[in-house]
Amino acid sequence: QVQLVASGGGLVQAGDSLRLSCVASGLSFYNYGLGWFRQAPGKEREFVSGISWSGGMKSYADSVKGRFTISRDNAKNTVYLQIDSLKVEDTAVYSCAARIGMAIKAVPYDYWGQGTQVTVSS
């Protein structure tokens, strides 16, 4: 059974930083591209960032470039999302997902995890 468990969210102030983690189990982690998504209240889920199986290729939504950094540790079956200079508009539930192939937007993902809430106050 595949599981993706995200953690690291919380209530923070604008300008703070957070590091989200997503631990995977039940799959050959190094075979999968991994993506981070977020969904704010009343809005559709949106792609935030993706990373290839090797970590050599990364992609970001325009809205987060320069503030978000994705990384992965295949030895720990974990993907990370470092979020700096948090903004109120970053408030959302952040989830990770896995797929065989490139982890980019507008493609289907094979597995999804539950989310972790990030709330940014002004």
Side-chain angles (χ1 to χ4, degrees):
Q1 180 182 358
V2 175
Q3 285 191 310
L4 299 169
V5 180
S7 62
L11 173 61
V12 297
Q13 291 189 327
D16 286 350
S17 297
L18 277 176
R19 188 175 81 156
L20 308 183
S21 301
C22 177
V23 180
S25 60
L27 53 71
S28 297
F29 187 75
Y30 49 84
N31 284 340
Y32 285 80
L34 299 163
W36 281 99
F37 294 76
R38 67 184 180 185
Q39 186 166 20
K43 295 187 177 181
E44 292 188 354
R45 183 172 59 198
E46 65 171 338
F47 172 84
V48 172
S49 182
I51 188 167
S52 63
W53 68 272
S54 67
M57 296 185 68
K58 303 176 183 180
S59 61
Y60 297 94
D62 288 342
S63 59
V64 307
K65 283 180 180 177
R67 297 190 300 118
F68 287 28
T69 305
I70 192 170
S71 61
R72 65 187 292 164
D73 185 337
N74 285 349
K76 296 182 178 180
N77 282 13
T78 302
V79 60
Y80 303 98
L81 187 68
Q82 176 70 35
I83 309 175
D84 297 320
S85 302
L86 276 154
K87 302 178 180 181
V88 172
E89 52 264 41
D90 293 323
T91 295
V93 175
Y94 287 72
S95 303
C96 60
R99 70 184 304 270
I100 297 290
M102 292 297 295
I104 55 177
K105 64 183 294 185
V107 295
Y109 280 72
D110 301 308
Y111 302 104
W112 291 85
Q114 100 299 346
T116 185
Q117 176 72 48
V118 173
T119 303
V120 185
S121 63
S122 59

